Amino acid sequence: MEGGLIVLAAALLLFLSPEVQGTAHLSFSNNTQVNITRDGCGVSKLCVETPNNCDPSGNSSCLFASAVSSVPVPPYGVDLSVELSGESAGYIAVGLTANASEGTSMLVICAQNSSDNGTFFFRTMQRNNTDNMLTPTETRVKEIRGMVNGNMIKCEFTVPNLNASNIRSSEATTFSVLLGNGSFDGSVLGAFNLLFGSKPLDLIKPDSNVPPTAAPTTTAPISNTTIMPSNTTMPSNTTMPSNTTMPSNTTMPSNTTMPSNTTMPNNSGALQPHAVLLLLSVLTLSVLLRV
């Protein structure tokens, strides 16, 4: 009887401990190779990182995550394949949430277990976006593989059947992506330090966080019309090009060839009607004075 009570008490403690979580929902891959690069970002996979545009294959301070989504199959959702890479003495994590300032986030943690020679450690948690409290969850994850090299942690995994019921109350594939880290001593996961939060991104569109490219500017063609400045004296034997606009006060000499499409303004060398009348009046007056 006493032995049975001890077993029951141990079972209750195991159930009530917030840091204890079963692993039946986790499936690890036999392939332990992990190779994470920026190849395909914005084309075949959605990428987020901090610092901006950092390369996980060559920058140890780069906290990077990528996601490749399968085609949605209602009501089962999508299979989301994730890569996560970063540097931490404890853990790195990627999260999905509808609103980073309220509600909850699904958080996936890749860590090194300092109490077990820095071996790879994997867990799924739920983060309260208001008070940052972490609660163990049994989100199903498969094809998990990870590696730890010093403080560099890399992992790859797939979350199957990711849909609205896992995260929020309405079916969607658009979420804000969170990146961060925290401490881990082998038994207790420390608070999640949020280092990056994206705008809402559609997980099935690899280019949903790629800024649009501005349209190229065009230059208007140059007109072939020649404009003559005012007070211009034209020399003899001058040939005028087509589409020439003649300003006022332009003196036209003899032997000047005027092409088609030439605009002649007022005050040019040609006689205007009122000038002809004035000339006739002067001639008439001269004749009368001689008589």
Side-chain angles (χ1 to χ4, degrees), residues 5-22:
L5 290 175
I6 293 175
V7 172
L8 179 60
L12 287 173
L13 288 174
L14 182 65
F15 177 78
L16 294 174
S17 175
E19 297 299 334
V20 174
Q21 180 184 21

Side-chain angles (χ1 to χ4, degrees), residues 113-125:
N113 189 345
S114 59
S115 66
D116 188 18
N117 297 320
T119 55
F120 178 70
F121 177 86
F122 187 93
R123 282 294 182 271
T124 58
M125 306 290 285

Side-chain angles (χ1 to χ4, degrees), residues 175-189:
F175 303 98
S176 293
V177 181
L178 311 179
L179 294 178
N181 58 24
S183 62
F184 180 58
D185 62 4
S187 60
V188 178
L189 290 165

